Amino acid sequence: MSLVVATSTKKEAPSHHIKPFQPSQHLEGLATLVERAFGQELARTHSSMVRDMRHMARWGSMLRIAHTVSPILIGYVWIEENKVVGNVSLSTESNTVWRLSNVAVLPDFRGRGIASHLVDKAIEHARQHDARYLILEVSPDNTIALNLYRHRGFEPFETLHEMYLSRTSWPVFLEPSEGDVRPVQASDARELCRLMLASVSPERQRYFPIHAREFHRGFWQKLLQYIRLVFKDELIYELVSEYDQSIVAYGRVTAHLFRGPHELEIHVRPDQRGEWELELGKGLLWGLRSLPRSRIRARIPASHRKAIEALEILGFESVRILKQMSLQL
């Protein structure tokens, strides 16, 4: 999440206000800040972020030890009146791509340039740690945040529709997909890679490169899936669609058996869009029929309108639209 709710020409010197985020000191205050800044958004997406942060804050001294061994959250906070009044978080997508999120300021402290100082500090941190790109997500309606990011050189590269199917809204009548829809096989690796290269926008591939090894489905990949099931409670179900002896569509659900939501994705070769999305969606839901029902989330590019329409037919609702932006460092 990224939110900036006020701007001002008045800039306050940040030197003694900005502190590196320390979970043992700041996590409870950050939970309060996130709850006040993103409350409506968290409610729409049924997020447990605030609850999880408050639970983790109770770890006390163990939290300090855990953060020392493996940082729980990277970022900076603005401390004033002995409380967290502003925040910016950072995370790594890869060695060269970092993500900026949770930009927020308490209402009583807005309009003083606090968010601007925090974002500048985050950019400086990412640059010092050899990041090549910094990416973020922001609502297209949040003009204040958009102006702040554009002023620093961020440029949009993709718009996503975040869609949800509630656990009580699954289609009543489900059946196996018809036509040329089948489970993924080990021999599909090369064709799957070609499909993804064709269906994912070049702009997105700049930050999330597609590698052939991701599509291998041999023994070691099956073993890895088993390990993920045991330790991360994840189960992956995949389908492909074929036309003229080529794979033209791919669907995948990452099911979380005990902690939801399930994650669904659909990719279709541009010249075949409109032909396969609905059948793939039906097939993926059918594949989940024996698992505990949970919410399902899909993040679909705005350019793939046919996938959005297919998921709407299946009962998914678009909860929010997110503009993805990037800054080359």
Side-chain angles (χ1 to χ4, degrees), residues 139-153:
S139 167
D141 298 329
N142 193 340
T143 55
I144 293 175
L146 286 171
N147 289 335
L148 185 152
Y149 298 136
R150 285 169 176 159
H151 182 69
R152 282 152 180 79

Side-chain angles (χ1 to χ4, degrees), residues 90-100 126 129-136 157 204-209 325-327 329:
L90 288 163
S91 56
T92 56
E93 298 287 341
S94 67
N95 290 336
T96 58
V97 180
W98 286 50
R99 182 179 295 276
L100 184 148
H129 287 77
D130 299 324
R132 184 177 178 187
Y133 296 105
L134 190 59
I135 64 174
L136 58 85
F157 67 91
R204 183 170 183 80
Q205 290 186 47
R206 182 183 305 162
Y207 314 110
F208 302 97
M325 306 182 75
S326 70
L327 172 68
L329 301 173

Side-chain angles (χ1 to χ4, degrees), residues 165-167 170-171 174-177 233-239 251-257 260-265 280-297 311 314 316:
L165 179 68
S166 72
R167 64 185 184 86
W170 286 33
L174 286 175
E175 56 186 18
S177 295
D233 112 83
E234 289 184 358
L235 181 66
I236 295 175
Y237 181 61
E238 302 172 297
L239 294 174
R252 167 183 170 134
V253 167
T254 302
H256 299 99
L257 305 186
H262 305 322
E263 303 281 350
L264 180 145
E265 56 185 279
L280 273 176
K282 289 179 179 178
L284 293 170
L285 290 178
W286 171 259
L288 296 174
R289 67 193 183 280
S290 61
L291 300 180
R293 288 204 172 188
S294 181
R295 291 181 306 120
I296 305 177
R297 178 173 66 180
L311 293 182
L314 293 171
F316 282 77

Side-chain angles (χ1 to χ4, degrees), residues 76-215:
Y76 293 90
V77 291
W78 185 285
I79 303 297
E80 197 164 337
E81 298 180 4
N82 294 318
K83 62 184 177 182
V84 176
V85 304
N87 177 78
V88 61
S89 298
L90 288 163
S91 56
T92 56
E93 298 287 341
S94 67
N95 290 336
T96 58
V97 180
W98 286 50
R99 182 179 295 276
L100 184 148
S101 61
N102 296 337
V103 182
V105 178
L106 286 175
D108 292 345
F109 295 83
R110 293 169 184 167
R112 292 165 39 187
I114 292 175
S116 297
H117 283 307
L118 286 167
V119 169
D120 290 340
K121 186 67 174 178
I123 293 172
E124 177 188 353
H125 180 104
R127 185 176 283 123
Q128 290 176 347
H129 287 77
D130 299 324
R132 184 177 178 187
Y133 296 105
L134 190 59
I135 64 174
L136 58 85
E137 295 178 348
V138 60
S139 167
D141 298 329
N142 193 340
T143 55
I144 293 175
L146 286 171
N147 289 335
L148 185 152
Y149 298 136
R150 285 169 176 159
H151 182 69
R152 282 152 180 79
F154 282 87
E155 297 181 349
F157 67 91
E158 190 170 58
T159 299
L160 296 176
H161 284 245
E162 187 168 290
M163 308 181 72
Y164 283 87
L165 179 68
S166 72
R167 64 185 184 86
T168 58
S169 299
W170 286 33
V172 176
F173 301 104
L174 286 175
E175 56 186 18
S177 295
E178 299 177 354
D180 300 317
V181 178
R182 60 166 176 80
V184 169
Q185 301 172 356
S187 59
D188 293 332
R190 183 175 297 180
E191 283 285 320
L192 271 177
C193 186
R194 288 176 180 171
L195 167 65
M196 295 297 287
L197 289 170
S199 63
V200 176
S201 69
E203 293 80 12
R204 183 170 183 80
Q205 290 186 47
R206 182 183 305 162
Y207 314 110
F208 302 97
I210 293 169
H211 302 289
R213 62 178 179 272
E214 299 172 17
F215 307 98

Side-chain angles (χ1 to χ4, degrees), residues 6-11 110-113 116:
T7 59
S8 171
T9 56
K10 178 182 177 182
K11 302 288 185 178
R110 293 169 184 167
R112 292 165 39 187
S116 297

